[in-house]
């Protein structure tokens, strides 16, 4: 049985303890985001991240062709290479794959992203974001069977060969589902779902399937995507999902022991 570990890339995430904790394992896929590096490299290239508000009031990052280029440089380039090198330092042989490699993450391009600009709703026709529809699980199984750990991140590819940006938490959910993983661990810069986003002591330790909808309104912004990813994974047959902190000495083992928000 495999586990899928997703490590966050926003400010405040720790990578070293996660890689050290995984040193003794070969039964995992590591999924990564990297929003801090996307922002940083975008700034350096004179392409700062831009945000838009949808008609329903949700704020999202613009995913136009210029931004997608930054995503490829930052995620498939820098972040993934650093993680593979970090695992090598722990004696773990790993291969970095974006969703484009080997058609690993087959996505559908999102149609009709809309933004409210100056009081008017406009269609973002150059939006290059998508939703993962299928994971080429054979490729992951070949690697895992050979004792090689797959390190997976955005972007993904469409049927017609277009490269699109995808949400890394949802990638992790789909990979866990495709591998029928026993657990999905979403490591982030907070201890889990918090009743008060700025108060780490307000952790929600456990969410049963039946209570899921009542907890969803607590989660704002990116945490909401994690809860939705957790639900998607559970519905896809994953045993349990833990949203937990990437900091601390043994973040993966702690999460598997139940430290964080356990959704099952
Ligand atoms: P990552 O890069 O680790 O995936 P994100 O920044 O995408 O991290 O998501 C985690 C963030 O979600 C937290 O830092 C916090 O600001 C935000 N958040 C919003 N609502 C909540 C909540 N109820 N509990 C915890 N975090 C929340």
């Amino acid at each position: 049985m495999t586990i899928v570990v997703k490590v966050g890339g926003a400010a405040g995430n720790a990578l070293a303890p996660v890689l050290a904790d995984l040193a003794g394992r070969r039964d995992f896929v590591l999924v990564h985001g990297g929003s801090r590096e996307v922002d940083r490299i975008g700034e350096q290239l004179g392409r700062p991240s831009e945000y838009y508000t949808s008609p329903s009031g949700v704020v999202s990052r613009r995913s136009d062709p210029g931004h997608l280029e930054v995503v490829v440089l930052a995620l498939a380039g820098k972040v993934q290479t650093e993680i593979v090198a970090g695992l090598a330092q722990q004696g773990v042989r790993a291969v970095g794959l974006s969703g484009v490699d080997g058609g690993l993450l087959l996505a559908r391009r999102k149609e009709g992203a809309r933004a409210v600009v100056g009081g008017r709703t406009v269609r973002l026709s150059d939006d290059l974001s998508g939703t993962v529809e299928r994971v080429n699980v054979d490729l992951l199984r070949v690697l895992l069977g050979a004792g090689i750990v797959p390190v997976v991140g955005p972007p993904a590819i469409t049927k017609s060969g277009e490269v699109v940006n995808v949400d890394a938490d949802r990638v992790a959910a789909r990979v866990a589902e495709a591998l029928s993983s026993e657990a999905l661990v979403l490591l982030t810069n907070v201890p889990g779902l918090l009743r008060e986003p700025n108060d780490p002591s307000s952790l929600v330790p456990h969410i049963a399937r039946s209570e899921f909808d009542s907890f969803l309104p607590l989660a704002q912004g990116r945490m909401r995507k994690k809860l939705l990813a957790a639900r998607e994974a559970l519905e896809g047959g994953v045993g349990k999902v833990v949203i937990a902190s990437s900091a601390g000495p043994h973040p993966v083992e702690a999460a598997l022991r139940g430290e964080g928000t356990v959704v099952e």
Side-chain angles (χ1 to χ4, degrees), residues 6 8-10 13 35 169 187-190 192-194 197 218-220 222-223 226:
K6 189 257 173 176
N13 269 289
S35 52
D169 289 308
L187 296 175
T188 183
N189 54 4
V190 283
L193 175 68
L194 305 173
L218 279 183
Q220 300 301 313
R222 304 261 327 138
M223 183 51 68
K226 290 183 199 303

Side-chain angles (χ1 to χ4, degrees), residues 28 30 83-85 87-88 91-97 143 147-151:
F28 67 97
L30 189 57
I83 293 176
V84 172
L87 283 170
V92 179
R93 205 168 151 217
V95 164
L97 297 165
L143 291 169
I148 300 170
V149 167
V151 176

